[in-house]
Amino acid sequence: MVEKTMRDKRMSLDAVIGELRSGMTIGLGGWGSRRKPMALVRALLRSDITDLTVVTYGGPDLGLLCSAGKVRKAYYGFVSLDSAPFYDPWFAKARTSGQLIAREMDEGMLKCGLEAAAARLPFLPIRAGLGSDVPNFWDDELRTVTSPYPDADGRTETLIAMPALKLDAALVHLNIGDKHGNAAYQGVDPYFDDLYCLAAERRYVSVERVVETEELVKAVPTQSLLLNRMMVDGVVEAPGGAHFTLAGESYGRDEKFQRHYAEAAKDPETWQTFVDTYLSGSEDDYQAAVAKFAQENQ
Amino acid sequence: MTSTETITRAEVCAVACAEIFSGAGEIVASPMTPMAQLGARLARLTTEPDLLLSDGEALLLAETPPLGGKSPIEGWIPFRKVFDVVASGRRHVVMGANQIDRYGNQNLSAFGPLHQPTRQMFGVRGAPGNTINHPTSYWVAKHSKRVFCDKVDIVSGVGYDKVDPDNPAFRFLDIHRVVTNLGVFDFGGPGHTMRARSLHPGVTADEVADNTSFEIAGLAEAGETRLPTEEELRLIREVLDPKQVRNKEVPA
């Protein structure tokens, strides 16, 4: 008799992208230029998947997708590179040329929308957004809801009814995981990667390293075990997979390379060189070219 | 002894930023720029010892380090917990601003039309949630007509004319102060419009008027911003900002 074992969910970067389709709504974990699933984003750039709706605390992930014209619509609380020049140049180009539909919102609304989706609720009430231009970014997609319970003085509160941000797929990057989808962050902040996974139909996590379950749970405090098996469909081992964003205790942000990215976006020629050098081969090719860049720019 | 004879504009601004937190009590102070950070730390070392300060990332600081310095920690405040604090109201944020109008509407999102801006900045970030939930102040290093404009392009931070008086969900809106390189302001003018509380030593009412697109209430009557005490100067110069980061924002 064959002993049954838990599913082995290991897959390659390109196999993950093979499970995605054009037109999907995709959540990208991390925050700004922090622990972004950049290797998975680079794999998206290699594919012909396009027409995406992206949900994110945006950074260079959104920028790179915009550089390839893959984003039709974006739901975001902000877009930032977190260091100079701060504003992502490719997102800025997509916006100023009117290429994408922007569903800009307060940062807290994004968390709220993911929580609604995670709990299979149609909306959750939130104060953030009232009185601001956020509703004007959303056309008719964002409504208010009035409390059935009056306040002590008999008046009722009308709040933003943040709709569930339901995702077709979530892409997140963590520091360490096993082949079944248990995974942990190592560093000061989990960001919202568990919420992205809970809000999504298909969930993919890249990790710096895949280890046996026993090693994983010994490596981190219990509270850092952010993802369990119910929350993950595919696991990719991708060392350096968040580069050039920071990744908790694994590595800091590659500030020089991020500046190079932002500079390269300034004109078509320098961008073509950037694409040729870094984005026209495999992830291994990228990592080798990045190592070369680091050597040359010490 | 610390000299009070050579007090710079930046030092006056630092104290004005500290006074934003006067009476704040045991809440999180979230200063988003170096000058506001200097002010919050100065407040914590003088009159507001119960303020909570984060390292700007995810750790609460047990002590009050110089700008860019390290401190032992006292707690954990990752981004997701920040949103809980925002909703709780136990916070006072000092944000920057690309634009502010006379009712306190603020923009840090983009210039131009919502769906096709002429210049893209950050997006609204946490500004809508901050302003609707808890005390919010602004720090503007270069007071100009471009910043203090008649109408902001995109309302990120909510101003007083956006309040629906029939909806108690707006009851926590509190735009506390605007501190600039020229003076200290609030929204205590007629109909919650911007009002001058004090002008920094050497600044004239004309200079403020010439650099503001709208009329500021109380400008002619505004007194002078107080000078730092000797103790405040010592803390600014020797403890909190020995590298004079403050002068990069407000040149001496």
Side-chain angles (χ1 to χ4, degrees):
Chain A
M1 186 180 140
V2 179
E3 193 186 346
K4 299 249 168 112
T5 56
M6 288 183 288
R7 281 199 293 152
D8 184 341
K9 298 174 184 169
R10 284 174 295 180
M11 26 191 331
S12 69
L13 291 167
D14 293 322
V16 168
I17 303 309
E19 296 196 359
L20 307 182
R21 294 290 172 267
S22 291
M24 275 187 165
T25 298
I26 293 181
L28 299 171
W31 169 281
S33 187
R34 304 171 201 218
R35 221 182 62 228
K36 282 286 175 179
M38 297 296 277
L40 285 163
V41 168
R42 288 186 284 269
L44 262 175
L45 293 186
R46 287 194 291 274
S47 77
D48 53 14
I49 288 172
T50 188
D51 193 34
L52 294 172
T53 294
V54 175
V55 177
T56 188
Y57 288 104
D61 51 340
L62 186 54
L64 280 176
L65 291 175
C66 286
S67 79
K70 290 184 182 288
V71 184
R72 186 179 69 86
K73 195 173 181 183
Y75 291 76
Y76 58 93
F78 65 83
V79 181
S80 172
L81 297 177
D82 292 339
S83 54
F86 295 102
Y87 309 139
D88 181 89
W90 279 112
F91 173 69
K93 274 184 204 183
R95 288 273 288 139
T96 55
S97 59
Q99 272 169 35
L100 58 78
I101 301 166
R103 293 291 182 250
E104 190 166 307
M105 71 190 102
D106 174 79
E107 293 170 15
M109 291 172 69
L110 183 42
K111 169 173 176 268
C112 187
L114 293 173
E115 284 170 336
R120 301 181 296 175
L121 293 170
F123 72 92
L124 280 171
I126 187 169
R127 201 179 311 279
L130 286 174
S132 75
D133 262 329
V134 165
N136 297 327
F137 271 100
W138 284 61
D139 301 321
D140 288 331
E141 266 185 57
L142 190 67
R143 313 272 172 88
T144 57
V145 62
T146 299
S147 172
Y149 307 107
D151 287 357
D153 65 1
R155 299 190 304 161
T156 50
E157 286 195 54
T158 296
L159 298 156
I160 297 286
M162 180 63 207
L165 293 168
K166 289 189 277 189
L167 309 174
D168 295 311
L171 306 178
V172 303
H173 184 80
L174 291 177
N175 301 84
I176 183 168
D178 68 15
K179 64 186 174 192
H180 308 300
N182 299 300
Y185 68 99
Q186 293 171 300
V188 290
D189 203 320
Y191 308 119
F192 302 85
D193 291 352
D194 48 341
L195 286 180
Y196 283 100
C197 290
L198 289 168
E201 288 285 326
R202 306 285 301 166
R203 298 78 45 93
Y204 303 96
V205 56
S206 58
V207 291
E208 290 296 317
R209 56 195 188 104
V210 175
V211 298
E212 289 302 317
T213 308
E214 197 185 341
E215 190 183 338
L216 167 67
V217 300
K218 276 185 190 160
V220 298
T222 313
Q223 295 85 345
S224 299
L225 293 164
L226 198 64
L227 305 183
N228 61 51
R229 287 186 288 115
M230 290 182 292
M231 300 159 71
V232 175
D233 297 294
V235 178
V236 182
E237 187 165 61
H243 182 272
F244 44 90
T245 69
L246 62 78
E249 288 168 9
S250 299
Y251 43 87
R253 184 176 304 131
D254 188 341
E255 297 285 5
K256 280 182 186 165
F257 191 83
Q258 177 164 288
R259 273 198 299 278
H260 181 51
Y261 154 77
E263 285 288 318
K266 282 183 179 164
D267 78 77
E269 218 168 287
T270 50
W271 184 250
Q272 191 55 52
T273 305
F274 187 90
V275 169
D276 293 344
T277 312
Y278 301 106
L279 300 173
S280 296
S282 68
E283 178 66 14
D284 285 347
D285 295 335
Y286 172 82
Q287 295 292 348
V290 161
K292 190 160 169 261
F293 175 87
Q295 255 180 359
E296 288 166 0
N297 291 276
Q298 268 174 357
Chain B
M1 215 173 86
T2 308
S3 167
T4 53
E5 287 164 18
T6 56
I7 293 168
T8 64
R9 179 70 58 82
E11 287 160 350
V12 171
C13 290
V15 169
C17 284
E19 290 200 335
I20 287 173
F21 298 100
S22 293
E26 202 155 36
I27 61 158
V28 177
S30 295
M32 299 300 188
T33 71
M35 184 65 81
Q37 214 170 54
L38 178 57
R41 291 181 188 195
L42 185 59
R44 201 201 208 193
L45 287 179
T46 54
T47 62
E48 301 299 322
D50 290 329
L51 283 176
L52 285 80
L53 290 173
S54 92
D55 66 347
E57 197 168 7
L59 304 173
L60 288 168
L61 304 176
E63 291 169 12
T64 309
L67 294 183
K70 284 198 183 307
S71 152
I73 67 163
E74 62 169 345
W76 187 46
I77 187 152
F79 288 124
R80 63 175 58 195
K81 283 178 177 273
V82 172
F83 297 139
D84 296 340
V85 175
V86 169
S88 82
R90 300 192 66 80
R91 186 168 181 255
H92 190 148
V93 68
V94 184
M95 292 187 282
N98 296 90
Q99 294 175 315
I100 295 176
D101 74 13
R102 67 181 316 188
Y103 293 102
N105 294 290
Q106 170 254 27
N107 178 20
L108 48 64
S109 172
F111 291 136
L114 289 181
H115 287 300
Q116 189 168 350
T118 52
R119 176 166 162 72
Q120 178 65 43
M121 284 94 77
F122 285 123
V124 296
R125 291 222 75 150
N130 291 343
T131 45
I132 206 74
N133 277 298
H134 58 64
T136 298
S137 295
Y138 296 106
W139 159 250
V140 175
K142 195 168 172 7
H143 190 129
S144 72
K145 279 189 169 171
R146 221 170 59 107
V147 175
F148 293 96
C149 59
D150 290 326
K151 192 175 182 305
V152 305
D153 291 22
I154 294 174
V155 177
S156 317
V158 178
Y160 283 103
D161 62 340
K162 301 296 188 293
V163 171
D164 174 358
D166 296 327
N167 183 1
F170 284 87
R171 68 193 179 280
F172 304 118
L173 186 91
D174 177 8
I175 314 299
H176 184 67
R177 293 277 187 280
V178 177
V179 179
T180 79
N181 60 321
L182 299 185
V184 180
F185 309 86
D186 64 15
F187 291 90
H192 283 296
T193 51
M194 192 159 141
R195 175 180 72 172
R197 293 178 64 89
S198 66
L199 306 186
H200 301 329
V203 176
T204 63
D206 283 347
E207 189 179 356
V208 175
D210 289 346
N211 287 287
T212 309
S213 297
F214 48 84
E215 195 184 328
I216 294 183
L219 191 53
E221 303 85 61
E224 213 168 72
T225 310
R226 80 165 173 86
L227 294 176
T229 64
E230 260 185 48
E231 172 64 0
E232 285 168 335
L233 275 185
R234 185 187 69 79
L235 289 169
I236 293 168
R237 292 176 181 175
E238 295 170 25
V239 178
L240 292 173
D241 189 22
K243 290 179 182 161
Q244 304 186 11
V245 174
R246 61 190 181 280
N247 295 341
K248 285 183 194 145
E249 284 197 79
V250 178

